[in-house]
Amino acid sequence: MTHDLTDDRRAVREFFTERAARWDARFPEDGPAYAAAIAEVGLRPGETVLDAGCGTGRALPLLRTAVGPDGTVLGADLTPAMLRQVVTAGRARSASLLLTDVARLPLRDGSLDAVFGAGLISHLPGPETGLRELARVVRPQGRLALFHPVGRAALAARQGRQITADDIRAEPRLRALLAATGWRLVSYVDEDDRYLALAVRE
């Protein structure tokens, strides 16, 4: 029996719809961590980058600065309420917004130079499908950055739980998952004040 991803997508949308209006206020100190992570992606002027699961669009102005006026920034999210917050926060001018499932992107094969995903991997319904779709739309040797402003242990403590070996963001599990979906993990940092996994499209 196959798992119904439609229910997963509905649950993700409901989770973020309920929290959209308060999201930025809950995490006001995350800006420098976003900036540092985006700097490590190595974006160049004129490139095309997708913020996958862009939420309220905190990364979009930083991505726009990185690729410059001749580059292209796309922000994709499954939740209409989150995209409305992008507009409310004045970040929509930095990017073209797509209301879409990251696992079914309306983009051509190999059309992106890079993907930035903040908090994405834990919320991907069927992560293999989502990562394979991101590999489809990124050119060979293009980059994927999976970011979170706090590390696994700090996040688990914040949520009142223990980290476990089967955590999708644990390095061995993530490395295998990326390798199975068209990516090669090239660097991995999991510290209290940031989590950043960088991968290259094979």
Side-chain angles (χ1 to χ4, degrees), residues 27-101:
F27 308 109
E29 309 300 324
D30 289 350
Y34 272 82
I38 288 168
E40 288 199 39
V41 181
L43 292 166
R44 292 183 287 274
E47 288 194 321
T48 298
V49 60
L50 169 69
D51 185 353
C54 67
T56 61
R58 300 181 76 159
L60 297 176
L62 296 163
L63 294 169
R64 166 56 62 199
T65 299
V67 300
D70 296 327
T72 300
V73 180
L74 305 172
D77 205 277
L78 187 63
T79 307
M82 281 295 197
L83 293 181
R84 284 195 293 274
Q85 289 301 314
V86 177
V87 176
T88 300
R91 297 170 182 145
R93 56 181 160 268
S94 296
S96 299
L97 301 180
L98 305 170
L99 177 62
T100 187
D101 183 352

Side-chain angles (χ1 to χ4, degrees), residues 3-185:
H3 182 67
D4 185 3
L5 295 183
T6 304
D7 288 343
D8 289 349
R9 291 186 186 97
R10 189 179 302 116
V12 168
R13 194 181 286 120
E14 286 172 1
F15 176 90
F16 285 108
T17 297
E18 189 181 303
R19 291 161 176 79
R22 305 185 310 279
W23 193 259
D24 285 354
R26 286 177 64 203
F27 308 109
E29 309 300 324
D30 289 350
Y34 272 82
I38 288 168
E40 288 199 39
V41 181
L43 292 166
R44 292 183 287 274
E47 288 194 321
T48 298
V49 60
L50 169 69
D51 185 353
C54 67
T56 61
R58 300 181 76 159
L60 297 176
L62 296 163
L63 294 169
R64 166 56 62 199
T65 299
V67 300
D70 296 327
T72 300
V73 180
L74 305 172
D77 205 277
L78 187 63
T79 307
M82 281 295 197
L83 293 181
R84 284 195 293 274
Q85 289 301 314
V86 177
V87 176
T88 300
R91 297 170 182 145
R93 56 181 160 268
S94 296
S96 299
L97 301 180
L98 305 170
L99 177 62
T100 187
D101 183 352
V102 168
R104 291 186 295 220
L105 291 165
L107 301 171
R108 295 190 319 278
D109 293 2
S111 58
L112 303 177
D113 295 295
V115 172
F116 182 78
L120 174 71
I121 190 75
S122 309
H123 294 287
L124 271 181
E128 296 85 355
T129 305
L131 289 170
R132 198 170 285 117
E133 174 69 347
L134 292 175
R136 180 187 71 78
V137 298
V138 172
R139 63 170 175 77
Q141 302 307 304
R143 288 140 289 156
L144 170 67
L146 298 173
F147 164 74
H148 202 283
V150 297
R152 294 168 58 231
L155 183 63
R158 182 190 286 175
Q159 296 173 343
R161 59 179 178 81
Q162 299 290 316
I163 54 173
T164 59
D166 66 350
D167 178 358
I168 196 168
R169 298 191 310 146
E171 183 174 6
R173 176 133 191 246
L174 183 65
R175 185 181 294 277
L177 182 59
L178 289 167
T181 54
W183 300 96
R184 176 170 51 86
L185 185 66

